[in-house]
Amino acid sequence: MIVPISLLAEVLQALPQLRAQIYFKSSMIALSHAMEDLVLAGSDEPLVIASFQRERFYRQEAHRYRRIASRSSQVYVLAAPETDFKNASECHETVAFAPEDGLSKEWHLVVLGEHYSTCLICQEKIVPIDNQDDRGPLLMDQARRFEGIWTFDREVSSKAAALLLDRIGNYRPELAEKIDRARTTYKLVKTPKKTRKSATSKASKPDIITGKNSKIPNPKLSDAFTERLVTYLQAGQHKLLKAYSAIAAQERKERLVNLITTAMRQSLNPQEIVEVAVQELGTALSASRCLIYRCKATDVAVKIDREFLGPGASSMLDQTCLLQENQIWSDAVARQERVYIQDTAQHPLIVNTKFLKKTVKNWQIVSWLMVPVLYQGRVLGMVEMHQCRSTLAWEEDEIALVEAIATQLGAALIQAETYAHLEELNQQLEALDRTRSNLIAITGHELRTPLSTIQVCLESLNSEPDMPAPLRQIMLETALGDADRMRKLVQDFLTLSHLESGRVKWNVESLTLQECVDLALSSVRSRTVDQQLPEIIAEVSAELPLVQADGEWLVEVLSKLLDNACKFTTPQGSVTVRAKCNGSRMVEVLVADTGRGIEANSLKVVFDRFYQEEGALRRSAGGTGLGLAICKQIVAGWGGKIWVDSAGKDRGSEFHFTIPTVENQLTSVNS
């Protein structure tokens, strides 16, 4: 069944907020490989649908798709057969369509995983033969252009996958059950028939974006082409040399696109990508100055940190540019397209604008080109080119090259941002796995023992009703004590999880530190009324400035540090609480003890979750190793720092943490 509908047109109709962009073939190859590498590097079982224009293009990638098929049972490859490509279910599903099918002009790759998605949906942009000039072969393989969409957006990827699965179902009805499993697994909705009819109707009209309805040239156009070809051939050696020169220039520009695309694949550091782009672009266009900087549409100013300089041009590195006062920048951002001024001395906007006139004079700008770096309508940065000695115009294909590089930069910056989010997610997953492992360990050690004790006590009380009253009292007290230990453990674990998840709502207020210290001391003494504590000395001046923090959590930090100090200090020792202004508009609090101290190699890990001195759960002193981790999260929540000093084992410890003062908060707001 031949389906003439353009998939790109269907996607753009279903999601009108999308905007198609231009991609070179070399860039699309790089993007496809990057997407395939993402599947090969993953551990889940994604849905992968690849559509090639011809069988020969698939043959170049066949080995990669065999590897991908070993990772997932939901892999579909579509292509127009040229030799032996056919419908088959071998290592993956192959779907053959007729060369007249609309897919023969398109290039698709859609990946839907559990935690990621990406898709490339492009249609070849055919350059009409009568629009070519004699500057070189515009239809060289690497110069082929495609219009389409490349995104990590799951809504777009899901829509494209659903439409492609509909087509696969038309070509291979026997796969209906497998396709339905794919729709269920990846939460895809089958496209209603009426929607597809609408898309068909729309596709039948001329489509400027996709160029879908380009037809075979008419006889007049063929005659014009023949006449043009004869004229070209008769031009002789001069035009032949000119053609070779154009090919060389085109190759150089394509090398630039490939270089930047390669940099995009090899590095996820936006600064490295921008550095390559600014140097290569400035060299390729023989610019006096090339600037590439990251900015948003709402930014007021930007500092120049990347620059290419040609001979005789002065450097703008580390200069701060006022963006909103620059009307050229504002026009490029508002229109989301290039702004090119060939001769600044003759342009009325510059002549009549004091700021622009001064800028042109200071930096000797003769020709000025600005191209915004965009991704799906969002401004990510700006490519700015200057000529300082000549008004020689940049050719249209040179400006188009800058636009193509800007498009690639937009994709690269979004890719880097996406991978940064993925890395952060991986770190969170690793932390969750550590928490799970630690929870298993703490359950096995800290929960099992008190549970066993409680069970023994209760079973004894139940089976021996005539047990002497003193022994009965001991049993009850033991069970209650271990139950309380379990309650504290669970409470600490829930508190830490709540803090680490970022769901805590801080009730920040102006507080007197001395009052918080007194409350913490009262709490410690009330909990240890039956224990002999070391001497506790509080040296907190009432003259200290007010601090800005959540009072409940501040008392919690002080209580846990005091509990810790008392736990590891003998009754003959002492615990001291002091506070002072540390010179950076912060109050520094010190909780010091004369107890067992901390070894030097443990100072950096004492705030880790489930840290236990001596490498095991402390049975003598109790505790779960969560208290200091909780303190660290609380102090970080109000913008402070916490650290520990110790001279070594049995030489005491000093825990420090900082709290912002009210003056510090007011200064931050005013600035």
Side-chain angles (χ1 to χ4, degrees):
M1 175 187 295
I2 296 176
V3 181
I5 308 169
S6 162
L7 180 71
L8 178 62
E10 285 191 277
V11 172
L12 291 175
Q13 182 188 25
L15 303 170
Q17 73 275 16
L18 296 178
R19 294 181 60 183
Q21 301 191 48
I22 298 295
Y23 297 91
F24 289 98
K25 180 187 175 182
S26 54
S27 304
M28 291 181 58
I29 292 173
L31 290 173
S32 299
H33 284 180
M35 293 162 65
E36 293 161 6
D37 290 344
L38 187 64
V39 176
L40 293 172
S43 58
D44 59 346
E45 186 175 345
L47 169 66
V48 181
I49 307 176
S51 175
F52 295 88
Q53 294 172 293
R54 293 289 187 273
E55 176 187 351
R56 61 181 179 274
F57 301 134
Y58 160 69
R59 292 301 175 195
Q60 298 171 6
E61 304 293 328
H63 65 287
R64 295 176 66 86
Y65 281 88
R66 283 193 289 269
R67 291 175 58 198
I68 290 173
S70 67
R71 300 294 184 94
S72 174
S73 61
Q74 289 286 352
V75 179
Y76 303 84
V77 176
L78 300 85
E82 294 173 307
T83 56
D84 60 347
F85 189 90
K86 59 185 178 181
N87 293 339
S89 301
E90 299 176 356
C91 55
H92 51 66
E93 301 294 344
T94 56
V95 181
F97 54 80
E100 297 80 16
D101 196 289
L103 292 176
S104 63
K105 295 183 177 65
E106 297 188 296
W107 185 346
H108 312 131
L109 177 56
V110 180
V111 179
L112 276 180
E114 183 178 358
H115 300 295
Y116 66 93
S117 63
T118 179
C119 71
L120 178 64
I121 311 167
C122 287
Q123 185 176 50
E124 186 159 9
K125 182 178 175 64
I126 304 298
V127 179
I129 295 175
D130 61 338
N131 285 344
Q132 296 186 38
D133 57 22
D134 58 359
R135 288 182 292 177
L138 297 183
L139 296 180
M140 290 173 60
D141 190 59
Q142 293 303 311
R144 287 164 59 196
R145 297 185 183 186
F146 293 77
E147 282 185 332
I149 300 159
W150 174 64
T151 180
F152 284 103
D153 190 297
R154 195 169 191 90
E155 180 187 5
V156 180
S157 301
S158 297
K159 185 62 181 177
L163 291 170
L164 280 170
L165 286 175
D166 289 345
R167 295 195 179 205
I168 293 170
N170 288 334
Y171 302 137
R172 296 193 58 189
E174 71 274 17
L175 296 180
E177 183 177 350
K178 185 173 183 178
I179 292 172
D180 287 341
R181 285 201 307 272
R183 288 196 181 99
T184 302
T185 302
Y186 304 101
K187 300 180 176 61
L188 303 176
V189 179
K190 188 171 182 180
T191 307
K193 290 185 178 180
K194 62 179 181 179
T195 302
R196 297 186 60 85
K197 288 180 180 179
S198 175
T200 305
S201 175
K202 181 177 180 180
S204 64
K205 299 178 181 179
D207 189 335
I208 296 175
I209 293 179
T210 61
K212 178 180 182 310
N213 286 321
S214 299
K215 297 184 180 298
I216 298 173
N218 57 36
K220 290 184 179 180
L221 186 59
S222 300
D223 292 343
F225 171 73
T226 303
E227 182 180 350
R228 183 181 183 86
L229 180 60
V230 170
T231 303
Y232 175 79
L233 293 174
Q234 290 176 342
Q237 187 66 29
H238 174 72
K239 286 197 174 184
L240 181 61
L241 293 176
K242 189 175 181 181
Y244 279 133
S245 176
I247 292 172
Q250 185 72 17
E251 187 278 332
R252 185 172 64 252
K253 293 164 188 172
E254 288 301 326
R255 181 188 60 81
L256 174 61
V257 176
N258 290 334
L259 181 63
I260 295 176
T261 304
T262 301
M264 180 182 68
R265 292 188 62 198
Q266 292 180 344
S267 174
L268 294 177
N269 184 341
Q271 297 301 329
E272 293 179 3
I273 297 170
V274 170
E275 181 64 29
V276 171
V278 76
Q279 295 300 326
E280 294 296 329
L281 196 54
T283 302
L285 269 68
S286 302
S288 298
R289 187 186 296 114
C290 177
L291 310 174
I292 298 180
Y293 47 86
R294 299 190 66 179
C295 60
K296 300 190 294 292
T298 56
D299 285 350
V300 175
V302 68
K303 187 175 182 180
I304 304 300
D305 59 356
R306 292 290 184 277
E307 176 188 59
F308 166 84
L309 274 185
S314 55
S315 175
M316 292 182 64
L317 271 181
D318 299 325
Q319 296 292 323
T320 299
C321 296
L322 301 177
L323 302 179
Q324 299 297 338
E325 295 188 30
N326 188 333
Q327 188 60 46
I328 300 175
W329 182 90
S330 299
D331 287 349
V333 169
R335 292 157 50 185
Q336 295 198 346
E337 60 184 33
R338 75 190 189 202
V339 174
Y340 177 40
I341 299 175
Q342 182 180 346
D343 188 354
T344 56
Q346 304 296 325
H347 198 277
L349 177 63
I350 295 176
V351 172
N352 298 321
T353 306
K354 184 177 179 181
F355 176 82
L356 293 177
K357 192 173 181 179
K358 182 179 178 181
T359 301
V360 166
K361 181 179 179 182
N362 287 346
W363 302 110
Q364 301 176 331
I365 303 173
V366 176
S367 295
W368 202 341
L369 171 65
M370 280 196 178
V371 179
V373 178
L374 306 171
Y375 187 78
Q376 293 189 356
R378 179 158 65 102
V379 177
L380 304 178
M382 187 68 67
V383 179
E384 191 168 338
M385 311 285 293
H386 301 161
Q387 291 288 22
C388 298
R389 293 182 175 274
S390 170
T391 57
L392 182 64
W394 278 307
E395 299 291 341
E396 180 62 30
D397 61 335
E398 293 177 317
I399 297 176
L401 173 65
V402 180
E403 293 178 315
I405 297 303
T407 300
Q408 297 298 324
L409 282 173
L413 294 175
I414 289 296
Q415 183 183 29
E417 184 180 302
T418 302
Y419 274 100
H421 292 329
L422 287 174
E423 185 177 355
E424 181 181 349
L425 178 60
N426 286 334
Q427 291 173 353
Q428 293 175 0
L429 292 174
E430 289 175 4
L432 182 62
D433 187 61
R434 288 195 301 271
T435 301
R436 179 187 60 81
S437 299
N438 289 326
L439 181 58
I440 292 172
I442 205 71
T443 302
H445 292 280
E446 278 294 298
L447 291 181
R448 183 173 57 187
T449 301
L451 276 172
S452 298
T453 304
I454 293 170
Q455 184 177 7
V456 168
C457 291
L458 293 178
E459 286 177 350
S460 298
L461 290 171
N462 183 57
S463 62
E464 299 182 25
D466 299 330
M467 182 183 294
L471 184 56
R472 180 184 295 273
Q473 184 64 29
I474 292 173
M475 290 287 187
L476 287 172
E477 289 176 355
T478 301
L480 288 172
D482 278 355
D484 190 56
R485 275 183 59 200
M486 290 176 58
R487 180 190 61 78
K488 290 178 180 178
L489 168 64
V490 173
Q491 182 60 44
D492 277 354
F493 190 83
L494 292 175
T495 298
L496 181 59
S497 299
H498 196 54
L499 287 165
E500 289 183 332
S501 69
R503 297 192 302 267
V504 174
K505 293 184 179 179
W506 302 97
N507 181 25
V508 179
E509 54 186 335
S510 300
L511 303 167
T512 303
L513 181 60
Q514 187 181 47
E515 181 181 348
C516 294
V517 171
D518 291 341
L519 288 172
L521 288 172
S522 298
S523 175
V524 171
R525 287 172 177 144
S526 65
R527 291 198 301 268
T528 56
V529 66
D530 57 343
Q531 299 177 19
Q532 186 177 359
L533 297 176
E535 180 185 8
I536 301 178
I537 305 168
E539 299 176 354
V540 180
S541 172
E543 302 300 322
L544 287 169
L546 296 176
V547 296
Q548 193 83 0
D550 187 307
E552 182 180 349
W553 289 111
L554 176 54
V555 172
E556 181 76 8
V557 171
L558 288 165
S559 299
K560 287 189 179 299
L561 292 179
L562 286 168
D563 272 336
N564 222 39
C566 293
K567 187 186 301 179
F568 297 107
T569 304
T570 63
Q572 294 74 34
S574 64
V575 175
T576 305
V577 184
R578 296 193 186 97
K580 65 176 182 179
C581 293
N582 66 0
S584 58
R585 293 192 175 92
M586 304 283 278
V587 169
E588 181 180 328
V589 180
L590 166 69
V591 178
D593 62 68
T594 60
R596 69 168 61 173
I598 303 172
E599 297 287 355
N601 59 358
S602 298
L603 291 175
K604 293 184 178 180
V605 296
V606 294
F607 295 102
D608 290 350
R609 290 179 294 177
F610 299 102
Y611 166 78
Q612 294 288 349
E613 191 186 9
E614 300 169 357
L617 295 167
R618 297 190 297 270
R619 303 304 307 162
S620 59
T624 64
L626 293 173
L628 292 179
I630 291 173
C631 291
K632 180 180 178 181
Q633 291 293 327
I634 295 172
V635 173
W638 63 54
K641 295 181 180 179
I642 187 168
W643 68 97
V644 61
D645 295 321
S646 178
K649 196 166 184 179
D650 298 325
R651 300 181 66 180
S653 305
E654 294 183 351
F655 284 85
H656 306 254
F657 69 91
T658 59
I659 319 169
T661 63
V662 174
E663 292 180 359
N664 186 25
Q665 294 296 315
L666 290 175
T667 302
S668 300
V669 171
N670 292 332
S671 63

